[in-house]
Amino acid sequence: MTTNVRTRDGGSATSRPASRRSHGEGVFRFISTGAGVVLLAIMAAIAVFLISEAIPALQANKGSFFTELTWEPNSAQVFGIGALAFGTVLSSVLALIIATPIAIGVALFISHYAPRRLAAPLGYLVDLLAAVPSVVYGLWGVAFLVPLMRTPSQWLNENLGWFPLFAGEGIIGGKTMLAGGIVLAIMILPIIAAISREVFLQAPKMNEEAALALGATRWEMIRMAVLPFGRPGIISAAMLGLGRAMGETIAVALIFPATFDITFEILTPHANSIAANIANGFGEATQIGRGALIASGLVLFVITLLVNMAARMIINRRKEYARAGA
């Protein structure tokens, strides 16, 4: 069975048989549904593995897993995730605060300000930064950034020490939360910039031209026509970068001093994260220590899921965001 389709010039054309089209749609639906089911199955399998491996260590733990600030699973069998989770969230949020404005500025420059001959090479360069191995960023941070941050850290402590983030006594600078946050910001900046750039390029040209025709400046046009349209994409890009920062391992393992305390002082050598602790301790871990590290990985897995769920809730909170991101 075939169907005739009328063309624009008044003629007719024979389309594909209806049975063939329905068969193709069924195959595509089966493949797409199967892909979604496989993804859910993989996530469930990861969760089951983490839980099954973590239970023996949690049962042997002599401290509170969520509030204990000590990490000695190999000897005393006392460990807690409190300081590690705090350091993971603080360093990732700090990186996000640093990287997001710069990434949005880079994306706007490439999409709406830079000449076409310059925009393409800049876009390739930003994308290339995302392919640099994390160990390279870590080595750069240890060899170059950490010594460089001593003087700025001391200046911030002396002049803005009244603010909790820049407070602290004793050693200022070196391997600190600020240095790790800057390295993480550089690592997630290409991701946020690349996604934001593509979203800005999809903004309706008619809206941009209408704003310019009404006498708006280029920045006013961007503020009225581009940024509202790209807001869901910016949020998604930022949350993707936040997830990358939370899971980063090698770079922060090289920079963080591996302490186990909770403090907002980002200029003193007090910093650690779940991923860095796993990288530093897995090689020498006993059976209980290995289970403790896997338990901390389970916490990181849950935190990442919560971050993604929060991003989706933010996007869906307003209907116009949901339509723009659909």
Side-chain angles (χ1 to χ4, degrees), residues 5-280:
V5 180
R6 187 168 297 277
T7 61
R8 291 183 178 180
D9 57 1
S12 61
T14 302
S15 64
R16 294 181 179 179
S19 60
R20 183 178 299 177
R21 291 203 310 272
S22 61
H23 177 71
E25 292 175 359
V27 172
F28 177 76
R29 186 182 299 110
F30 174 79
I31 294 175
S32 58
T33 303
V37 171
V38 170
L39 178 61
L40 293 176
I42 292 174
M43 294 183 63
I46 294 174
V48 170
F49 167 78
L50 293 176
I51 294 173
S52 62
E53 293 291 327
I55 287 178
L58 294 176
Q59 292 176 344
N61 187 14
K62 298 179 182 179
S64 175
F65 179 68
F66 294 102
T67 61
E68 180 66 47
L69 301 183
T70 303
W71 188 269
E72 297 180 357
N74 298 326
S75 56
Q77 296 183 359
V78 177
F79 55 90
I81 201 67
L84 297 175
F86 176 83
T88 299
V89 175
L90 180 59
S91 61
S92 301
V93 172
L94 183 64
L96 191 66
I97 293 174
I98 297 173
T100 301
I102 300 175
I104 294 175
V106 171
L108 287 175
F109 177 77
I110 294 176
S111 61
H112 286 82
Y113 283 94
R116 184 170 300 179
R117 294 181 178 179
L118 181 62
L122 283 178
Y124 296 146
L125 180 61
V126 172
D127 295 339
L128 183 62
L129 289 176
V132 177
S134 60
V135 65
V136 175
Y137 285 109
L139 292 174
W140 173 82
V142 171
F144 177 79
L145 183 63
V146 169
L148 184 66
M149 288 300 297
R150 294 187 182 276
T151 301
S153 298
Q154 292 175 358
W155 185 90
L156 290 172
N157 179 256
E158 294 174 358
N159 295 274
L160 300 176
W162 52 268
F163 191 66
L165 288 179
F166 305 129
E169 297 179 357
I171 300 176
I172 302 297
K175 293 185 175 182
T176 62
M177 182 70 71
L178 179 60
I182 293 175
V183 172
L184 288 177
I186 297 174
M187 295 181 66
I188 67 176
L189 190 149
I191 300 175
I192 303 176
I195 298 177
S196 300
R197 182 190 71 227
E198 296 301 322
V199 173
F200 294 154
L201 290 174
Q202 298 301 321
K205 297 300 180 182
M206 294 182 60
N207 295 352
E208 298 181 8
E209 294 172 357
L212 294 174
L214 292 174
T217 63
R218 183 174 298 185
W219 164 243
E220 290 173 339
M221 177 271 294
I222 290 174
R223 183 169 56 85
M224 293 185 297
V226 178
L227 291 180
F229 175 84
R231 194 172 303 175
I234 295 174
I235 295 174
S236 300
M239 293 301 103
L240 183 61
L242 181 61
R244 166 73 187 276
M246 285 185 173
E248 181 51 47
T249 304
I250 301 300
V252 292
L254 292 173
I255 296 176
F256 284 169
T259 59
F260 297 92
D261 47 10
I262 295 178
T263 177
F264 284 96
E265 299 173 357
I266 63 174
L267 302 180
T268 57
H270 299 280
N272 208 344
S273 69
I274 295 176
N277 187 58
I278 293 175
N280 290 328

Side-chain angles (χ1 to χ4, degrees), residues 277-301:
N277 187 58
I278 293 175
N280 290 328
F282 202 87
E284 301 177 355
T286 62
Q287 184 175 0
I288 298 298
R290 179 173 174 270
L293 295 174
I294 292 177
S296 65
L298 177 62
V299 174
L300 181 60
F301 181 77

